[in-house]
Every structure is written in structure tokens, then in C-alpha cells.
Amino acid sequence: MIDTNHGHDAIEAIRLGRAAARYDIAWFEEPVLPEHLGAYAEVRRGQPIPVAGGETWHTRHAHPQAIRAGAIDILQPDVTGCGGLTEMRKIAACAETEGIRVVAHVWGPGVHLDASRQMLALLPPVPRRHAPNDPLPDLDRTGNPFLAEIVKTPVRLEAGRVAIPPAPVSGSRSTAMRCPPGPRATWAKPSSWQKYPGGPGAKPPAGRP
């Protein structure tokens, strides 16, 4: 996937999408500003990579606007930004009604990841199809105290899957989620607070803040 964090205008995003299409990329995430649904639709028409977005859209009212505008191929609501567990289930129901694929956005500290794992365990495959895809979590594997040390039990990746922890939530359809295959079998996105290598609990080098 390509994630440009709405860093382009439509002209630049179309040029990038056309140049990158030969690499068989799964989706083009947030190519333009999230408020510019017309530009999203223009990018979707102008290049072949599926367009994804939704982490900065809020509630069941904003996400259907993007669907109606023909702006996206893949909807990415974030449980901590869209309005919580109940609101995200309603957003997923809107997407299922229109046949739009949902790949939940999951990127943040450990509490965010725990809430997202519970949400992904509850969501049905959207849209429904003969061979449903397992839900995909973003999983930061760099040393980061906000990810690992803020929770009692840090997330562990085993055989490309992460377990759903016990919680007072009913209706879970799965006990694990699949991470995409690859050298590390994770999604890895750079961010400003990933300063120090060394894995969970790593300490900053001497002389560094």
C-alpha cells in the first residue's frame, strides 16, 4: 500500500498512482486532503490503484458522504476517531449496504490497538463474499513506550496473527487477526515518535531526550 497522508493534490496523486501501478499495490491511502471528496473521486478515476480513506472522517454521517461521492474503493474508519464501537458498526453497515470494502484504520498507542482489536473481532466481513478476508491491523513493531508500556500485556505477533484478549464483549467471530505476509508480516508506518530502535521497552541512547 501507499499512504501519503493527504500530501498531494489530485494532479500529483494521479501521476504517482500511475507510476506505482506496476508494483501491484493493494491501495492508495489518503492521496489528497480528506475534505476534498471531489479530488478523491478525480484520483480514483485517473489512476488504477484502489483509493482508500476514512481515518479522519467522523461519525456515520461523514463516511456515507464519501461513498455517495464515489470517492473511495476502500473505507477506513478508525474506532477512536469515528465515534467509538457502536458508531463504527453503523459505519460498517453503511459500507456493506453499498458494497464498499472496509479495512479499519488502526494506528496509535496500546490502548487504541486494544480497542481496535475488539472492534475488528466484532465486524463481519464487509462486504460479504464467498471467501472473506481476515481483518488487518496496523501493528507498529518499533520500540515505543506508548505502544508497549502503556498496557499491561503488549500485543504479540505469532505466526502472522495477533490474539484477541479476553474482554466483556460478546459476539466475537474470530480469535485472531491475520497480518499481511512479508518479511516482518506487519504493516509498518513511519511516525514522528518512533525514535529509538530496539523493540518494546527500548531505552533512548545516552544523551538523547
Side-chain angles (χ1 to χ4, degrees), residues 99-110:
I100 299 295
R101 182 181 299 182
V102 172
V103 177
H105 178 265
V106 183
W107 189 248

Side-chain angles (χ1 to χ4, degrees), residues 182-197:
R184 297 194 303 172
T186 64
W187 287 119
K189 297 182 182 179
S191 67
S192 59
W193 38 257
Q194 293 175 12
K195 290 185 179 180
Y196 313 119

Side-chain angles (χ1 to χ4, degrees), residues 63-166:
H63 289 77
Q65 292 180 35
I67 295 173
R68 290 192 296 268
I72 54 165
D73 298 286
I74 299 170
L75 191 64
Q76 295 184 296
D78 187 305
V79 70
T80 64
C82 73
L85 301 174
T86 300
E87 197 72 4
M88 187 159 170
R89 293 192 71 173
K90 293 176 180 178
I91 291 166
C94 292
E96 182 179 12
T97 300
E98 300 297 331
I100 299 295
R101 182 181 299 182
V102 172
V103 177
H105 178 265
V106 183
W107 189 248
V111 174
H112 181 178
L113 182 55
D114 278 349
S116 298
R117 285 191 291 168
Q118 298 295 336
M119 185 73 256
L120 291 173
L122 289 170
L123 284 180
V126 179
R128 297 184 185 275
R129 48 203 181 272
H130 289 301
N133 293 328
D134 288 339
L136 300 175
D138 289 312
L139 185 57
D140 178 9
R141 301 291 286 164
T142 60
N144 178 0
F146 287 102
L147 181 66
E149 297 177 14
I150 200 171
V151 293
K152 291 182 178 180
T153 306
V155 176
R156 298 186 182 278
L157 181 68
E158 298 181 1
R161 303 173 80 87
V162 293
I164 304 297

Side-chain angles (χ1 to χ4, degrees), residues 1-49:
M1 51 86 79
I2 301 174
D3 184 354
T4 61
N5 285 297
H6 41 85
H8 303 292
D9 62 19
I11 296 171
E12 295 166 338
I14 289 170
R15 184 184 303 121
L16 175 58
R18 289 175 177 174
R22 61 194 176 101
Y23 296 107
D24 191 27
I25 293 168
W27 68 74
F28 192 168
E29 185 171 329
E30 286 201 312
V32 294
L33 286 173
E35 295 82 6
H36 295 173
L37 297 183
Y40 259 90
E42 187 177 347
V43 173
R44 189 180 176 215
R45 290 191 301 266
Q47 54 81 49
I49 301 173

